[in-house]
């Protein structure tokens, strides 16, 4: 066998092996992991290139301002999962009870000293804060702790940067990173000036024109602004392509369903169960970033599209919501929203609240009402009977499924069929056998009420959408009486 036929990327080999595209992507992710022991000290680097989060051994710290102790612990547990998804080893987690975060150092000034002791005792090289730090808080903590400090937003952005695969996804993540970085750029004084001052600054410049010239900070800001403008143009162009595809589906009157929910709730698994799409399924946060659309059919044969969207999370960075706007429009413009909830989570209602916050943000940005919502509780195979009973009480009308075992999937298909918009125009036609493609379209996109085969063609009474009704007009039967 020649070398080209043994390459793992060869399509024939993939099909023979029965490996899906999702399996290959999962293997690709597992093939490259961060190596422990590499240096992560802060260095004088050009920060316009987004600060690489070479995370290794980390200490987590949170400020508990509201809610129960269980919610506070769950929040730090989620931060630990985020850190591990980014490739870190979590050594310790600390929570301070305060009315609000300290405006200067996030945790109280006394606690910073205590935190420094923990960092030195554990040998940590990074501290991750469970909130969004201001530029001042970030600077003061790094100066006092002498290790890299990042916040929840930067951590999520780093995970997105690792997992983005499509050109649009990568551009959206880079835009969000640069928007986050812009107010956090720090100058190091005149030693980093890029232009000569004094006499070397330009002959005949005169008094008031001499000085350090353009600093590194100013140059970085200028370069970032230029890059942000370029990325916005690119994303807008890609958004037009996405809108065109969506417009074609609307023109063809194909109903659309968007799957949304908390990260790792099992959205991709559910889409695979409904369509056999073969999407990447991984027990990790933010495994799916690129929206994927597949066709599916209702039990009565109507075609609709199903779109898997990016997972949401508590305090999803607003930069990401803005950058992923064109992708999230798939949610706002769908005919039905399938909201997936992780039934095995300790606080599923907390997840529901976080998702609805993001949906409300999308609704405000989109400027129109959101589609009807169908709640789907997933992973019932890993959920206790007591938890299921509580969820049935909290989420009346929800469908309970297991994408893993297939339990409840048929009921979900039925509920989707019930909630999708139905064809409104009733037609009574006699379609010649030579136009069999129209009969096939009625079966595929409409609702057949009555059908008979005659010598002259197929007699049908059906409900169809306006575009198909117009094509059937010439074959209309006008009955007497």
């Amino acid at each position: 066998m020649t070398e080209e036929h043994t390459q793992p990327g060869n399509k024939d080999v993939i099909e023979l092996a029965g490996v899906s595209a999702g399996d290959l992507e999962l293997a690709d992710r597992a093939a490259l992991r961060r190596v422990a022991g590499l240096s992560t000290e802060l260095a004088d680097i050009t920060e316009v290139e987004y600060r690489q989060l070479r995370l290794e051994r980390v200490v987590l710290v949170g400020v508990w301002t509201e809610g129960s102790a269980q919610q506070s612990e769950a929040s730090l547990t989620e931060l630990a999962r985020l850190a591990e998804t980014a490739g870190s080893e979590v050594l310790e987690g600390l929570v301070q009870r305060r009315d609000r975060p300290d405006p200067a150092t996030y945790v109280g000034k006394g606690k910073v000293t205590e935190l420094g002791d923990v960092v030195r005792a554990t040998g940590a090289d990074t501290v991750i804060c469970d909130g969004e730090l201001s530029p001042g808080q970030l600077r003061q903590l790094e100066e006092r702790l002498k290790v890299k400090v990042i916040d929840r937003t930067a951590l999520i952005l780093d995970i997105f940067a690792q997992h983005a695969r499509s050109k649009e996804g990568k551009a959206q993540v880079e835009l969000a990173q640069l928007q986050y970085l812009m107010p956090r750029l720090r100058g190091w004084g005149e030693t980093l000036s890029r232009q000569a001052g004094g006499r070397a600054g330009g002959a005949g410049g005169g008094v008031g024109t001499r000085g350090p010239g353009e600093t590194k900070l100013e140059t970085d800001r200028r370069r970032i602004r230029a890059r942000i403008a370029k990325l916005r143009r690119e994303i807008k162009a890609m958004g037009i392509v996405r809108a065109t595809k969506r417009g074609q589906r609307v023109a063809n009157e194909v109903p659309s369903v968007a799957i949304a929910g908390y990260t790792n709730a099992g959205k991709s698994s559910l889409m695979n169960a409904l369509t056999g799409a073969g999407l990447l399924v991984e027990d990790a946060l933010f495994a799916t970033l690129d929206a994927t659309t597949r066709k599916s059919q209702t039990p009565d044969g109507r075609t609709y599209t199903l779109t898997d969207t990016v997972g949401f999370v508590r305090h999803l960075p607003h930069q990401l919501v803005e950058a992923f706007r064109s992708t999230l429009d798939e949610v706002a413009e769908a005919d039905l929203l399938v909201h997936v909830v992780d039934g095995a989570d300790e606080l599923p209602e907390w997840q529901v609240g976080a998702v609805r916050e993001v949906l409300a943000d999308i609704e405000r940005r989109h400027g129109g009402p959101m589609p009807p919502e169908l709640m789907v509780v997933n992973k019932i195979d890993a959920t206790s009977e007591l938890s299921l009973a509580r969820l049935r009480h909290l989420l009346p009308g929800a469908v309970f499924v297991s994408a893993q075992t297939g339990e409840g999937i048929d009921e979900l298909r039925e509920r989707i069929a019930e909630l999708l918009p139905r064809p409104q125009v009733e037609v009574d036609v006699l379609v010649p056998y030579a136009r069999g493609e129209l009969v096939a379209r009625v079966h595929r996109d409409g609702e057949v009420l009555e059908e008979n085969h005659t010598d002259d063609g197929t007699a049908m009474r059906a409900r169809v959408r306006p575009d198909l009704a117009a094509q059937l007009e010439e074959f209309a039967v006008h009955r007497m009486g």
Side-chain angles (χ1 to χ4, degrees):
M1 185 177 284
T2 62
E3 184 181 353
E4 67 174 0
H5 287 101
T6 60
Q7 292 298 318
N10 184 276
K11 184 179 178 182
D12 295 332
V13 175
I14 293 170
E15 289 176 352
L16 286 171
V19 179
S20 70
D23 293 331
L24 289 177
E25 191 174 342
L26 186 57
D28 180 52
R29 283 192 189 171
L32 186 63
R33 285 286 181 261
R34 289 189 168 97
V35 179
L38 297 181
S39 172
T40 58
E41 290 107 12
L42 290 170
D44 273 7
I45 56 173
T46 303
E47 295 213 14
V48 69
E49 311 298 343
Y50 181 70
R51 294 178 73 195
Q52 296 298 311
L53 304 183
R54 296 187 297 274
L55 310 182
E56 302 164 355
R57 298 163 59 79
V58 304
V59 170
L60 312 179
V61 59
V63 173
W64 172 22
T65 59
E66 59 183 5
S68 65
Q70 184 187 15
Q71 287 177 328
S72 173
E73 290 173 9
S75 181
L76 212 65
T77 300
E78 181 178 86
L79 188 69
R81 288 205 63 197
L82 288 167
E84 287 164 358
T85 300
S88 308
E89 179 189 358
V90 178
L91 304 175
E92 189 70 77
L94 309 170
V95 178
Q96 183 183 20
R97 184 75 166 98
R98 290 177 62 93
D99 293 334
R100 61 187 179 88
D102 188 286
T105 52
Y106 184 63
V107 292
K109 289 182 174 60
K111 289 292 180 182
V112 176
T113 303
E114 187 180 325
L115 179 59
D117 293 339
V118 172
V119 168
R120 285 184 289 276
T122 57
D125 51 45
T126 304
V127 170
I128 305 178
C129 298
D130 191 18
E132 185 165 328
L133 301 179
S134 69
Q137 288 172 325
L138 192 66
R139 186 166 56 252
Q140 289 217 38
L141 280 174
E142 284 190 341
E143 286 174 354
R144 295 185 63 174
L145 297 175
K146 306 302 181 187
V147 294
K148 179 179 291 181
V149 177
I150 65 166
D151 59 17
R152 181 188 180 90
T153 299
L155 178 60
I156 292 172
L157 289 172
D158 182 65
I159 296 168
F160 269 57
Q162 291 183 53
H163 289 188
R165 288 290 178 269
S166 71
K167 184 178 179 182
E168 184 178 15
K170 289 177 180 178
Q172 288 166 326
V173 172
E174 185 182 353
L175 175 61
Q177 286 179 323
L178 292 176
Q179 288 174 325
Y180 168 83
L181 176 62
M182 188 71 163
R184 291 167 176 79
L185 284 175
R186 297 168 301 167
W188 286 288
E190 297 183 4
T191 56
L192 291 173
S193 299
R194 298 290 178 85
Q195 297 176 355
R199 293 182 184 275
V207 177
T209 63
R210 294 184 289 263
E214 184 180 37
T215 64
K216 176 184 182 297
L217 181 61
E218 290 164 345
T219 305
D220 283 355
R221 280 186 176 148
R222 177 168 50 79
R223 290 174 62 192
I224 286 181
R225 278 193 288 266
R227 182 63 181 159
I228 285 175
K230 186 173 185 290
L231 285 169
R232 280 183 171 149
R233 287 194 300 271
E234 290 177 358
I235 292 169
K236 185 178 180 181
M238 288 183 276
I240 290 171
V241 174
R242 181 183 293 278
T244 301
K245 290 180 180 177
R246 190 162 55 237
Q248 288 171 345
R249 296 200 299 267
V250 172
N252 293 330
E253 299 284 0
V254 179
S256 60
V257 176
I259 301 179
Y262 210 77
T263 180
N264 206 36
K267 298 181 297 300
S268 297
S269 298
L270 192 64
M271 185 162 175
N272 286 343
L274 288 168
T275 68
L279 301 181
L280 167 69
V281 174
E282 182 178 4
D283 184 19
L285 306 184
F286 302 116
T288 302
L289 294 189
D290 301 312
T292 305
T293 299
R294 294 288 186 272
K295 279 189 175 181
S296 189
Q297 279 194 333
T298 62
D300 57 0
R302 287 179 291 144
T303 299
Y304 66 95
T305 61
L306 201 62
T307 301
D308 184 24
T309 62
V310 62
F312 302 149
V313 71
R314 186 179 60 88
H315 302 320
L316 187 68
H318 64 88
Q319 296 96 339
L320 280 172
V321 177
E322 176 61 33
F324 278 74
R325 184 171 182 174
S326 65
T327 303
L328 295 175
D329 278 348
E330 294 280 355
V331 174
E333 296 182 9
D335 293 300
L336 176 65
L337 174 62
V338 172
H339 179 167
V340 185
V341 181
D342 183 353
D345 189 79
E346 290 184 3
L347 295 169
E349 64 271 28
W350 202 29
Q351 290 192 359
V352 172
V355 171
R356 286 187 168 152
E357 276 184 25
V358 179
L359 291 174
D361 192 9
I362 295 170
E363 185 174 13
R364 282 192 300 273
R365 292 170 186 269
H366 188 69
M370 295 296 282
E373 180 186 63
L374 172 61
M375 298 293 296
V376 177
V377 177
N378 192 18
K379 305 184 184 180
I380 59 172
D381 56 308
T383 310
S384 69
E385 288 299 324
L386 183 63
S387 296
L388 287 175
R390 190 172 72 88
L391 284 168
R392 290 184 199 281
H393 175 72
L394 284 171
L395 305 171
V399 181
F400 288 74
V401 307
S402 168
Q404 187 74 26
T405 66
E407 184 180 352
I409 296 296
D410 288 340
E411 182 190 350
L412 176 57
R413 287 195 177 100
E414 293 285 353
R415 289 291 301 277
I416 290 173
E418 289 171 14
L419 294 170
L420 283 177
R422 288 185 172 273
Q424 297 300 314
V425 183
E426 186 168 322
V427 295
D428 195 348
V429 293
L430 180 61
V431 183
Y433 289 120
R435 299 300 305 275
E437 82 280 0
L438 286 176
V439 175
R441 273 199 65 189
V442 172
H443 277 279
R444 187 182 72 240
D445 301 334
E447 185 178 354
V448 178
L449 304 175
E450 190 179 331
E451 181 179 23
N452 291 300
H453 297 288
T454 70
D455 293 339
D456 299 319
T458 305
M460 305 182 79
R461 191 165 62 85
R463 289 195 187 96
V464 296
R465 294 190 166 82
D467 64 318
L468 183 52
Q471 294 184 47
L472 293 167
E473 179 63 32
E474 62 179 297
F475 308 116
V477 175
H478 302 287
R479 299 184 187 275
M480 299 296 292

